[in-house]
C-alpha cells in the first residue's frame, strides 16, 4: 500500500525511450514529494523504494506493515495524522488503562501517562497495565512496561506529578488531552487552557456500571464519506442506479465543560427528556459532587455509609431525579464496564485526530 513500485538502478537505461521513461519517473517522484532510499537485495542488485511523505510525516516499512489494516480502513492520510499526534492521558485507573491501550495500538506519535497515585489492590480488578508485583508503586510508572510492549513504535513517558500542580503551559504541548478521575475544578481549568490553545479536550469517568465522556473539540473539521444513489440508466429505460461514495468536508462546534455545569436539568423541558434518556446527567452531578467534597470516589468496603452520603447529595442537587436503584451500582471499576467506556472514548479520540468521520456531538 505504501510502496508504489520498484525501480532498478543497477544499470543505466540503454535506449532513448528507456531514458525518457526513467527521467519522467524521477520527475513524477519529485512532484509527489516522495523519499528515495536504496536497499540491498539478492544478487547484489540495488533497488530504489519510494515511500510517501506528507506534511513532514512519513511511515516506515515496519509501520506500514503494522498499521496495514488501519490504513485500509481509514486511509493513509488519517494514519499520518495519528502518527504525528501527541496525547496526554491523565488518570491510570482501569478506564485510563483501556483508553491508553487503544490509543497506543492506533499508532500515535507519543503518549504521556500522568498519575500521582500508587497501585492499590483494587486496581487489579480492571487496571491490566500494572502488574501485581507493582503494588505500592506509582501507577503511571508501573503501567509503562506493558504499555510499551503493546506498540514499541510509540513514544511513551510516565509523569508522576499531581495534575493540580501542572501549569497551563504543560497542557499546551499536546494535541489531545484526556482527563480521567479529576475533580470538577481541574476539569474546568484544563478545558479552559485547551480551548485557548486549540488543544482537543476529553474528560471521562467510570463509577461501577455508570460511565461518561465529554469532548470539547472547539471548531472541529473532518471529512465524512457520503453514499448516494446515482442514476446510470439511459432515457426511456428502466431506472437503474448505483451507489456512489463521495467525501464531504464538514465542521462542528463544541461547547466548553462549563456548559455542562451550567445546564439546568431541573427545567421542565429536561423532565420530558429524562423519561427517554434516564437520569444520567443528574447522577453525574451527584458523583462529581461526592468526589469534590470527599476527595475520592465511593468506597465499596463502606457501602452503607457511602450510600447515605450519596443520597444526601442527591437530595440537595437532584431531588427525585436519581432513584436509589441507580446509586447502588456506582461502586468500584470492573473490567467489562471499563472496556466498553474506554473503547468508546478512545474511538472518539482516534476520529478526532484522524479527522475521519464525525465525532460524537
Amino acid at each position: 500500500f505504501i510502496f508504489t513500485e520498484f525501480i532498478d538502478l543497477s544499470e543505466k537505461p540503454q535506449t532513448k525511450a528507456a531514458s525518457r521513461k526513467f527521467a519522467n519517473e524521477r520527475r513524477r517522484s519529485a512532484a509527489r514529494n516522495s523519499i528515495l532510499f536504496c536497499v540491498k537485495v539478492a544478487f547484489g542488485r540495488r533497488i530504489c523504494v519510494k515511500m510517501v511523505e506528507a506534511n513532514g510525516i512519513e511511515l516506515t516499512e515496519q509501520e506500514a506493515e503494522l498499521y496495514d489494516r488501519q490504513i485500509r480502513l481509514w486511509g493513509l492520510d488519517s494514519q499520518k495524522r495519528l502518527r504525528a499526534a501527541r496525547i496526554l492521558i491523565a488518570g491510570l485507573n482501569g478506564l485510563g488503562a483501556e483508553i491508553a491501550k487503544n490509543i497506543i495500538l492506533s499508532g500515535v506519535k507519543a503518549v504521556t501517562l500522568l498519575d500521582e497515585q500508587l497501585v492499590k489492590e483494587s486496581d487489579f480488578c480492571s487496571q491490566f497495565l500494572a502488574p501485581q508485583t507493582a503494588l505500592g508503586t506509582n501507577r503511571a510508572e508501573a503501567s509503562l512496561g506493558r504499555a510499551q510492549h503493546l506498540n514499541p513504535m510509540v513514544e511513551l513517558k510516565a509523569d508522576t506529578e499531581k495534575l493540580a500542580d501542572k501549569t497551563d503551559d504543560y497542557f499546551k504541548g499536546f494535541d489531545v488531552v484526556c482527563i480521567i478521575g479529576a475533580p470538577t475544578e481541574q476539569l474546568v481549568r484544563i478545558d479552559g487552557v485547551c480551548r485557548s490553545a486549540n488543544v482537543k479536550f476529553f474528560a471521562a469517568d467510570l463509577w461501577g456500571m455508570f460511565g461518561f465522556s465529554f469532548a470539547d473539540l472547539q471548531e472541529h473539521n473532518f471529512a465524512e464519506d457520503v453514499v448516494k444513489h446515482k442514476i446510470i440508466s439511459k432515457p426511456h429505460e428502466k431506472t437503474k442506479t448505483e451507489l456512489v461514495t463521495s467525501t464531504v468536508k464538514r465542521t462542528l462546534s463544541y461547547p466548553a465543560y462549563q456548559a455542562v455545569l451550567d445546564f439546568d436539568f431541573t427545567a421542565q423541558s429536561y423532565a420530558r427528556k429524562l423519561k427517554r434518556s434516564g437520569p444520567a446527567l443528574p447522577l453525574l452531578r451527584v458523583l462529581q459532587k461526592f468526589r469534590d467534597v470527599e476527595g475520592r470516589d465511593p468506597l465499596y468496603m463502606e457501602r452503607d455509609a457511602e450510600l447515605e452520603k450519596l443520597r444526601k447529595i442527591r437530595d440537595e442537587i437532584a431531588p427525585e431525579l436519581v432513584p436509589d436503584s441507580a446509586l447502588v451500582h456506582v461502586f468500584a471499576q470492573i473490567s467489562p464496564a471499563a472496556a466498553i467506556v474506554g473503547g468508546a472514548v478512545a474511538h472518539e479520540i482516534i476520529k478526532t485526530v484522524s479527522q475521519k468521520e464525525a465525532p460524537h456531538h
Side-chain angles (χ1 to χ4, degrees), residues 39-110:
V39 296
K40 291 184 178 180
V41 294
F43 309 112
R45 299 169 67 87
R46 295 170 67 83
I47 60 174
C48 182
V49 183
K50 296 186 297 182
M51 295 189 65
V52 181
E53 180 187 29
N55 299 324
I57 301 300
E58 63 176 271
L59 295 181
T60 65
E61 181 180 359
Q62 292 81 6
E63 289 173 327
E65 181 179 356
L66 179 62
Y67 306 133
D68 176 68
R69 287 191 292 179
Q70 296 176 187
I71 293 172
R72 295 175 186 273
L73 176 62
W74 52 54
L76 181 59
D77 288 339
S78 295
Q79 187 63 47
K80 287 180 179 178
R81 294 188 186 100
L82 285 168
R83 184 65 182 85
R86 296 180 179 273
I87 314 294
L88 170 65
I89 300 176
L92 266 294
N93 52 21
L95 176 59
E98 286 285 352
I99 296 173
K101 175 201 69 176
N102 293 314
I103 295 300
I104 292 169
L105 290 174
S106 71
V108 297
K109 179 177 180 59

Side-chain angles (χ1 to χ4, degrees), residues 169-189:
D169 290 337
Y170 175 80
F171 302 100
K172 297 177 182 179
F174 300 95
D175 299 295
V176 175
V177 170
C178 181
I179 308 297
I180 302 109
T184 304
E185 179 184 4
Q186 291 302 317
L187 292 177
V188 174
R189 177 181 78 92

Side-chain angles (χ1 to χ4, degrees), residues 331-345:
F331 292 89
Q333 289 194 4
I334 56 177
S335 293
I340 293 172
V341 179
V345 175

Side-chain angles (χ1 to χ4, degrees), residues 202 217 220 222 252 254 348 351-352 356-361:
F202 285 83
L217 310 183
H220 180 64
F222 63 95
L252 290 175
Y254 289 76
E348 294 302 311
K351 287 194 294 183
T352 299
K356 185 70 173 179
E357 304 303 331
H360 185 70
H361 185 257

Side-chain angles (χ1 to χ4, degrees), residues 281-326:
L281 184 56
L283 179 57
L284 173 62
R285 292 277 188 87
V286 171
L287 293 169
Q288 283 281 18
K289 182 66 176 295
F290 184 98
R291 177 183 292 164
D292 295 340
V293 173
E294 301 292 334
R296 55 173 175 79
D297 291 334
L299 300 175
Y300 180 79
M301 299 300 293
E302 302 177 13
R303 182 185 179 90
D304 293 338
E306 301 290 71
L307 278 173
E308 187 62 30
K309 294 178 182 178
L310 287 169
R311 293 190 191 100
K312 183 178 180 180
I313 296 175
R314 184 268 316 270
D315 294 340
E316 292 176 357
I317 64 177
E320 301 181 358
L321 293 180
V322 180
D324 289 346
S325 59

Side-chain angles (χ1 to χ4, degrees), residues 196 207 256 278:
S196 65
W207 294 270

